[in-house]
Amino acid sequence: MVPFAGWTLPLHYGQGHLQSHLHTRRHCSLFDVSHMLQTLVYGRDRIRFMESLVVGDIAELKPGQGTLTLLTNEKGGITDDLIVTNTSEDHLYVVSNAACADKDLAILRDRAAQLQATGSDVHLEVSDNALLALQGSPSMARVLQAGLSDDLAKLSFMNSITTTVFGVPGCRVTRCGYTGEDGVEISVPAARAVELAEQLLGVPDVWLAGLAARDSLRLEAGLCLYGNDIDETVTPAEAGLMWTLGKRRRVAMDFPGASVIMAQVKDKPRRRRVGLTCGHGMDRGWPGPAQFPYPHIPGTVTSGCPSPCLGKNIAMGYVEAAHSRAGTELTVEVRKKQHPAVITKMPFVPTQYYMAK
């Protein structure tokens, strides 16, 4: 057990990190991610409220559809990355990172108060539900379908339904996750979370997984960890996350930091987030951050680990844009030793996100 964002969380369970990681890729694993902040946004002005804070086109979301979006500051930096879902009910469902929960909630509440003062109809409710993530192809769909009356095959990646899961009513099932695999996150009433977890773990294919596997799985999938790979000093253009900006929002430029971000789109950012691979000789992996030693290619490694699936070391980092092309060879310094590395396209391991036919 280790401290994480004010919580005590499991680093790994009895099977160990390597076995847990590979089991998720080959079968499926259950992650307790109840430490994440879940917020419900009500009121007829809820979309205008949300779009005043994030870069995504929330208005275009169909009922039940969600999107990854970015909470930005006036300098164009990323305050948090979060998922916003336009539910089929009467509210938006927002999931934020645990490390950002306090500041996110303060920003949401302050903005809501500002709009309320001008007569807008918006109000917030913090959910006390637990959050369970069942992740892994191809077992997840088979395991979960056994406890659903709804047809999971109709639920595409980044879409959400409210349903009964293994006899527990009022669960929100969202087809998403942080592993690169087909998976779901289940928001479940806290009083019945253990019951649901035990039902899922009763299937031999399902193992419990902790933070270590969660981190190595998301890195193989090329996904950012807030506080390492993105933070308030990094813009969406630098992080390779411009795809989160809706076309309408780019034109309107009505989100925090829009002038800075769109200027970088026009003039190109000076640095870019890249993937890195390094050979087999670094069993202890990448520490973070580590520095690129040569002055003509300055940069920083922000995340790194040995890849259980690839048998080599992988990392993310930032380099000058001029040197960010895939295939570029460079040297990284790890524990005062220099090692050859290659800029590599991400994801490192192909993703398995499910798109309904």
Side-chain angles (χ1 to χ4, degrees):
M1 303 292 287
V2 295
F4 183 87
W7 300 76
T8 301
L9 299 179
L11 189 62
H12 57 79
Y13 292 86
Q15 301 90 353
H17 166 229
L18 177 62
Q19 291 81 3
S20 180
H21 178 113
L22 294 174
H23 185 85
T24 308
R25 292 272 186 249
R26 296 166 181 169
H27 301 282
C28 69
S29 297
L30 183 66
F31 300 78
D32 181 357
V33 291
S34 303
H35 54 291
M36 300 183 77
L37 174 67
Q38 301 175 72
T39 309
L40 311 180
V41 185
Y42 292 90
R44 65 176 179 272
D45 297 311
R46 59 187 181 272
I47 290 176
R48 182 166 67 90
F49 159 77
M50 206 70 227
E51 287 193 348
S52 72
L53 296 171
V54 302
V55 302
D57 192 339
I58 308 304
E60 77 169 358
L61 295 175
K62 298 174 183 178
Q65 185 180 17
T67 185
L68 177 72
T69 190
L70 306 173
L71 201 64
T72 50
N73 60 32
E74 294 300 334
K75 294 182 179 179
I78 301 171
T79 302
D80 195 10
D81 60 320
L82 37 80
I83 292 177
V84 177
T85 299
N86 179 25
T87 72
S88 299
E89 294 81 24
D90 60 347
H91 63 275
L92 300 176
Y93 170 60
V94 183
V95 179
S96 312
N97 286 305
C100 302
D102 290 343
K103 70 173 181 179
D104 284 10
L105 194 54
I107 290 169
L108 292 170
R109 284 174 169 165
D110 286 350
R111 184 58 178 151
Q114 291 171 10
L115 290 179
Q116 289 164 357
T118 61
S120 294
D121 179 25
V122 60
H123 62 278
L124 309 177
E125 178 183 316
V126 176
S127 172
D128 62 358
N129 277 11
L131 194 63
L132 302 176
L134 187 67
Q135 301 283 307
S137 312
S139 296
M140 182 285 296
R142 175 180 54 79
V143 169
L144 189 62
Q145 186 61 75
L148 286 183
S149 55
D150 294 88
D151 184 359
L152 195 60
K154 295 181 179 179
L155 190 67
S156 280
F157 179 61
M158 294 306 295
N159 280 263
S160 177
I161 55 172
T162 300
T163 186
T164 297
V165 184
F166 285 96
V168 181
C171 293
R172 175 164 297 282
V173 176
T174 305
R175 202 153 198 166
C176 66
Y178 196 45
T179 63
E181 297 295 321
D182 183 20
V184 294
E185 291 183 354
I186 307 170
S187 180
V188 52
R192 303 193 69 178
V194 172
E195 173 190 340
L196 178 56
E198 289 177 341
Q199 288 271 9
L200 293 168
L201 291 167
V203 181
D205 261 7
V206 183
W207 289 8
L208 279 167
L211 284 179
R214 185 169 166 84
D215 189 52
S216 55
L217 288 160
R218 69 89 192 170
L219 185 52
E220 285 187 342
L223 301 174
C224 294
L225 173 63
Y226 193 87
N228 282 48
D229 310 301
I230 51 175
D231 58 31
E232 294 191 12
T233 70
V234 176
T235 69
E238 294 170 332
L241 294 173
M242 286 302 295
W243 59 269
T244 63
L245 275 72
K247 292 181 180 178
R248 175 177 60 86
R249 306 301 308 282
R250 295 183 189 217
V251 174
M253 294 182 61
D254 56 353
F255 51 87
S259 59
V260 175
I261 294 167
M262 296 313 296
Q264 285 190 344
V265 173
K266 180 181 178 181
D267 301 329
K268 308 299 181 186
R270 294 181 180 179
R271 60 174 179 166
R272 292 186 184 275
R273 179 172 63 95
V274 297
L276 296 162
T277 54
C278 191
H280 298 263
M282 297 168 58
D283 293 338
R284 295 180 64 192
W286 306 75
Q291 298 295 318
F292 297 83
Y294 296 136
H296 60 287
I297 312 181
T300 304
V301 172
T302 53
S303 288
C305 71
S307 165
C309 290
L310 300 179
K312 62 177 71 174
N313 295 289
I314 60 173
M316 278 186 216
Y318 287 83
V319 299
E320 288 185 345
H323 305 287
S324 62
R325 187 180 297 275
T328 300
E329 297 180 353
L330 40 75
T331 302
V332 294
E333 184 177 300
V334 183
R335 298 185 183 89
K336 298 184 180 181
K337 294 183 179 180
Q338 295 183 0
H339 302 270
V342 179
I343 293 180
T344 307
K345 288 184 178 180
M346 296 184 285
F348 299 101
V349 173
T351 56
Q352 304 291 329
Y353 303 132
Y354 176 80
M355 301 298 175
K357 297 178 180 179

